[in-house]
Each structure stands twice: as structure tokens, then as C-alpha cells.
Amino acid sequence: MKIMVAVKRVIDYAVKIRVKPDKTGVETSNVKMSMNPFCEIALEEALRIKEAGLASEVIAVSMGPTQCVDTLRTGLAMGADRAIHVDAPATLYPLSVAKILKALVDIEKPGLLILGKQAIDDDCNQTGQMVAGLLKWPQGTFASKVVLDKEKQVATVDREVDGGLETLCLDLPAVITTDLRLNQPRYATLPNIMKAKSKVIKKVTPDELNVEIKSDLELVQVTEPPKRKAGVIVSSVDELIDKLKNDAHVF
Amino acid sequence: VSTLVLGEHESGIVKQSSFSAVEAASRSIGEGNSISMLLAGSGASLQQAASHAASSHPSISQVLVADTDKLTHPLAEPWAELVHLVQHRGGYSHIIAASSSFGKNVLPRAAALLDVSPITDVIEISGSQLFVRPIYAGNALCTVRYNGVEPCMLTIRSTSFPVSLNSADSKSDAAPISQVDLSTFSEDSLGKSRYLKHTTQDTERPDLGSARVVVTGGRGLKSAENFKLIEKLAEKLGGAVGATRAAVDAGFVPNELQVGQTGKIVAPELYIAFGVSGAIQHLAGMRDSKVIVAINKDADAPIFQVADYGLVADLFEAIPELLEKLPSKN
């Protein structure tokens, strides 16, 4: 069984983002870019499944401009066997991403498609659910534990939901999206970074996959959120209680 | 315009977050918006929830009920097919759900079946096709216009659309309830996912998402045992307990208490944070609270930059003192 993993190149999670003065977006030039943390978790899970002898190959996929190749190299250095770069404009909305993924799944026929539950740039939390719908595959979103049964061809998935944990049993093939507590992703070692340089990254275009990029959304503006006004530092619990009672009126 | 709201219910009661979705539809989408709430499930609790929906919000003009054992558990696969079916019969201009784990799971899948781009986690509706949503963990706000075909599909953040008290429980005549005809229900992707179990911590405390007071603990609490101090204080104030990712990862409390970019989004009247450093991912989940109090030993902790009242102190001394001196809510 093959596993396909989607990885997204985003502004590094530790960078404090800046909104552009002309409100067209956030500043991305000269800003550190990394693999979306949830995608790292997705890739790690795929690698662990392969290392447990339950999968034969892990394919990393990314879409966007040429720089996505860097993100794919990181994935290959972590241990993915090969990679596919879909050369596409930078602003792809999840519906287009889901259609491209479906086209790739139709070609590669993986038994599992694993994605991060959301990207930390647009915070959409949509793509996994959408590609599962297009494929008519079952979905295990926000997974914090995945157990594969190769014989029965099912995956048992614990999901982080509002009221605790939900456990589902999914027939394979299936789509899984990862939550933070699923695993702790590995770092790429130097020998593996070197080895990754000789691994294959295939390039395709949405046209070659017969996917029409549809844009039914228009970005109007990106702005800074309203700032909270500076607060006060109190010196004791008594003063705090006094402020809460008499200034904030919460008691 | 007409809106379909995907309703969530439990033990015969429609969840407050689903009424927030109704509120968003009725306040913002346009004049004469006719709002239908879709409920699915099986058995008596579904019928109770339907009566609850029909009589609890004046803006609901119709309640649609899909009663089948395929929908006993709110799985995404049958729900998405259901939304697809109901949309084809009803031709709604908008479909809205709350940004709960249910809405996030179901609505994008349904949108894919309808070939439209959903807009998730909306915090402001500026017109029938114009929406504001946070990006980068709330460090920027993005305004988007939907230019696609109907339906326009949204999930809304329920803390941004509170249900006004006078619109709840003030309904003179109940909305009609009708059953969805499921004879053409597509079974394409059904049966491929099966519900096994749901584990939760039973608690007497109010729900984190809608509590008036939230008391949160971070890594500074040091252990699950110490976290009981947070619980005690929350009980005294009649509030809910929250936690940072670090506290959840360290095993102090279960995941459902996590507040932040990927956990719960809360906006209580009073948010008190103990031993919380204030990572941007955590701030994303609580920055809309009315009054924020932070208590931390580290005077440089970023949480103090968003706090209305900060106290630099050892929480193991501050909490017992607060427990002693704060007025009890019970």
C-alpha cells in the first residue's frame, strides 16, 4: 500500500507576521518559510506506518510556485520516498487543492491520504474533508491516534472533537487529517538530507492533470486585528480583586 | 435569499452554537432571509430537538428533520450527502454551520460535493457575499468576497455571533417541522466509516465555549495534581476550566480543554490565566475575551501584553489567596 501526504509551504510558525501597508496580504519576502507543522505530523505518521511494515511507499506532494520544491526536499530528507510538485499559482484555494489531490490519487492509487488538519497561514481547515468528499472516501479528521489493520483493511482513528475523543473505524482507502497530539515529528539527519538530494521530484501542472483552477473567492483586503489597549500591572491580589470589582465590574 | 443552518443537537436539545449560526444568518445576510434548520439523527431525541428548534428562535421559519439510523451519529459522510440532497430540493442561497468540530468536519465535505468554495471560521458578515475571517492565528483579518454559484457556504465562529437573550425563548408560535424525504438518499460513501465510541469527562462545570468566566492554567501549574487549584477556582467563580497546549501535552488535563488556534475559541466576560506564557497560538483562542487577567511569575511573559490586569506573582500563592478572598458565585 502506498501513502500519499500533502505538504504545504508556509511562513514559519515562530515568525511574527506583518500585514502589508497596502492591505493586499502579509509580508512574505525575506521571511523564513517552513513546512506547515500539521503537515510535518502527517508525514511523520506516514513514515511510522511504513516503518511498521504496513506501507510500501510514502509520496510527498506539494503545490504552488517553484519554492515548494524546498518543502518537498525537507519531506524527502525526513524519509519520504519520492515527491510530486504541482506547479501552480501561489493562491490556490482548498477546492482547487482538493481537485488536484484527487487527480493525483487517481494516478497513484494510495491506500491512505494523510494531510494536516489545517495550514497555519490561512487556517482554513477544509482540504482533507473536501478531497475525501470528491473521492467518496471515508474521512478521519483531527486524528490524535491512528491504528491500521492490514488484514481487515481498516484504520481505527481517535479524533479530537469538542466534547472529548471520538473513535471511528474507516475502510481503506481513507483520508486522515492530523491534529497536534498524533506524534512528534522527527528532524532530518544530515545523511538523510544528503540522500534526499538524489530522490526524484516529479513536476506536473494542473493542466496535465485536467484540473481547472476555479476561483470563486476574491481576496478583498487583509488588515491588522484591533489592538487591545494596554492594561495595568497590579501589585497584589487585593488590588486585583478591587480592580475587578470596581473598574471592570465583573463581580 | 434563503439559508439552511446545519443544526447540532444532544439529548434532545439544539446546541447554542447552532443558534449562533441562525443569529448570523438573520442579522447579517439580508432582508427577508428565510431560515431553515436541518437536524439529523434517529429516534425520540431527534424529535425533541426538532421541537426545541421550532420554538426557540424567532428567525427559524422551518425545521427539516432527517430521521434515519444512518445518521444516528453525526458522521461526515452521510451528513455531506444529506446536505447535498437537501440543497438540490431547497435551492438555498446560503448554508451555514457553527465552527464546531461537527461543522468543520461536515461543511467542507458537503461544499466539495456541491463544487463550491466554503468560507470557514467567519467572524463578521459585511454583506450577503462579503465575509471577514481571521488568518495567521488571528494576527491578521482577511476580507473575502464570494463570487461563485449558490449556495454560499460558511462556518461561523459562535463567539462572534452571540444569541441575544430576547430572541431566545420568546417565540409565540412554533415553526413548522417537516421530515426530509430520504428515498433518494445517495449511499455512495456510506458504511465506509463506523462510529465506535465517544469518550468524555463528565463535569458539572459550564461549557468552555459559552462560559461567562474561564480560568486557564498553563505549563506553570507543573502537574495534574496542581491543576486542581484551577478547577477549584473555576468552581468558586461558576466558570469553566481551560488549558494551554503545553498543559494538555504534559498530560495535566484532557485535550478538550485546550484554548487556542487549534483548540477552543473562547470570549468570556472574564478570562483568568495562571502560569500561561502567552504564545500567539494561545492568544488566538482568547483575545476576544472582555476582561483578561494574567498571573505569572515571569514579568516578561507575552500574556501581559494582552492582559487588562496583570499580577507578577507565584500562582501557588495567588490562587489560595484568591480562593479565600473572591466572592463566591454559588
Side-chain angles (χ1 to χ4, degrees), chain A residues 16-228:
Chain A
K16 191 166 176 5
I17 61 115
R18 277 182 303 126
V19 173
K20 287 185 190 169
D22 66 1
K23 299 186 179 177
T24 56
V26 303
E27 195 57 69
T28 51
S29 53
N30 298 317
V31 167
K32 187 183 177 200
M33 306 293 283
S34 298
M35 188 187 291
N36 176 40
F38 289 97
C39 301
E40 287 185 317
I41 295 169
L43 181 53
E44 176 66 33
E45 195 64 17
L47 296 173
R48 289 186 190 189
I49 292 169
K50 187 191 163 193
E51 284 158 1
L54 300 169
S56 54
E57 190 182 34
V58 174
I59 309 160
V61 176
S62 192
M63 44 201 86
T66 317
Q67 297 94 320
C68 290
V69 168
D70 300 342
T71 310
L72 288 171
R73 284 280 168 222
T74 308
L76 293 170
M78 281 175 72
D81 296 289
R82 62 188 167 93
I84 302 172
H85 170 221
V86 182
D87 196 7
T91 49
L92 280 179
Y93 289 109
L95 180 60
S96 301
V97 176
K99 287 179 180 175
I100 292 170
L101 282 172
K102 177 184 185 293
L104 292 172
V105 164
D106 289 342
I107 296 166
E108 297 284 350
K109 308 220 165 9
L112 261 185
L113 172 61
I114 312 183
L115 306 88
K117 75 165 181 180
Q118 75 192 68
I120 60 163
D121 51 3
D122 58 25
D123 284 331
C124 274
N125 193 337
Q126 301 172 357
T127 305
Q129 296 87 311
M130 296 183 84
V131 67
L134 296 176
L135 288 163
K136 307 257 175 221
W137 286 8
Q139 70 189 50
T141 52
F142 328 145
S144 62
K145 189 178 172 198
V146 175
V147 178
L148 276 195
D149 185 327
K150 205 175 173 181
E151 245 158 59
K152 292 187 187 143
Q153 283 290 297
V154 295
T156 305
V157 179
D158 284 358
R159 306 181 52 233
E160 296 202 359
V161 294
D162 290 341
L165 283 178
E166 181 185 78
T167 310
L168 300 179
C169 179
L170 312 175
D171 289 346
L172 298 182
V175 173
I176 289 171
T177 76
T178 60
D179 217 314
L180 287 169
R181 274 169 282 276
L182 181 58
N183 60 49
Q184 195 75 42
R186 69 192 67 189
Y187 290 103
T189 59
L190 188 60
N192 285 342
I193 293 171
M194 299 312 289
K195 246 192 269 175
K197 291 190 173 161
S198 60
K199 290 183 183 173
V200 178
I201 299 180
K202 190 178 146 192
K203 184 170 140 179
V204 293
T205 64
D207 269 355
E208 288 163 356
L209 296 169
N210 286 320
V211 176
E212 190 201 346
I213 307 289
K214 181 169 157 177
S215 66
D216 46 9
L217 290 177
E218 175 199 341
L219 180 82
V220 177
Q221 63 172 11
V222 174
T223 54
E224 298 234 15
K227 288 218 169 28
R228 290 187 77 94

Side-chain angles (χ1 to χ4, degrees), chain B residues 63-299:
Chain B
V63 178
L64 301 171
V65 176
D67 190 343
T68 161
D69 52 12
K70 295 183 185 76
L71 285 157
T72 302
H73 302 291
L75 297 172
E77 297 82 2
W79 249 103
E81 295 292 350
L82 175 68
V83 173
H84 187 253
L85 174 99
V86 170
Q87 172 62 22
H88 275 282
R89 295 221 188 105
Y92 300 91
S93 64
H94 293 74
I95 300 180
I96 306 186
S99 274
S100 57
S101 52
F102 164 82
K104 288 178 195 168
N105 191 39
V106 168
L107 188 126
R109 184 176 178 117
L113 300 185
L114 292 162
D115 195 25
V116 302
S117 284
I119 303 149
T120 40
D121 225 16
V122 168
I123 58 167
E124 194 185 319
I125 301 178
S126 319
S128 65
Q129 314 283 338
L130 199 59
F131 310 99
V132 181
R133 56 185 301 276
I135 54 175
Y136 291 94
N139 287 299
L141 299 178
C142 177
T143 305
V144 289
R145 179 178 287 115
Y146 181 69
N147 290 329
V149 296
E150 290 186 347
C152 171
M153 297 180 72
L154 320 171
T155 66
I156 57 98
R157 195 177 269 192
S158 47
T159 51
S160 301
F161 300 93
V163 180
S164 48
L165 286 174
N166 55 1
S167 61
D169 304 320
S170 66
K171 182 116 173 132
S172 49
D173 44 6
I177 299 174
S178 48
Q179 306 289 320
V180 177
D181 174 6
L182 294 169
S183 56
T184 58
F185 194 39
S186 161
E187 312 224 346
D188 269 6
S189 47
L190 304 194
K192 292 181 191 170
S193 71
R194 292 167 295 281
Y195 171 92
L196 296 184
K197 64 173 192 238
H198 184 203
T199 43
T200 183
Q201 280 214 323
D202 277 325
T203 166
E204 298 288 299
R205 286 188 294 270
D207 176 57
L208 185 53
S210 55
R212 204 185 72 85
V213 177
V214 174
V215 186
T216 287
R219 202 198 306 264
L221 264 296
K222 294 200 176 80
S223 72
E225 190 55 36
N226 291 341
F227 218 91
K228 296 210 169 74
L229 284 169
I230 298 285
E231 291 165 18
K232 259 194 202 162
L233 187 60
E235 258 155 49
K236 176 144 194 188
L237 296 172
V241 171
T244 63
R245 180 188 171 196
V248 175
D249 284 358
F252 302 169
V253 285
N255 64 279
E256 63 208 72
L257 300 186
Q258 183 178 324
V259 172
Q261 182 184 18
T262 68
K264 294 258 169 56
I265 308 289
V266 301
E269 283 177 41
L270 176 61
Y271 189 88
I272 314 181
F274 291 96
V276 172
S277 64
I280 54 169
Q281 290 82 2
H282 182 73
L283 302 184
M286 47 66 83
R287 61 191 302 154
D288 292 331
S289 304
K290 308 278 179 308
V291 176
I292 298 175
V293 174
I295 296 170
N296 198 314
K297 264 197 310 205
D298 175 8

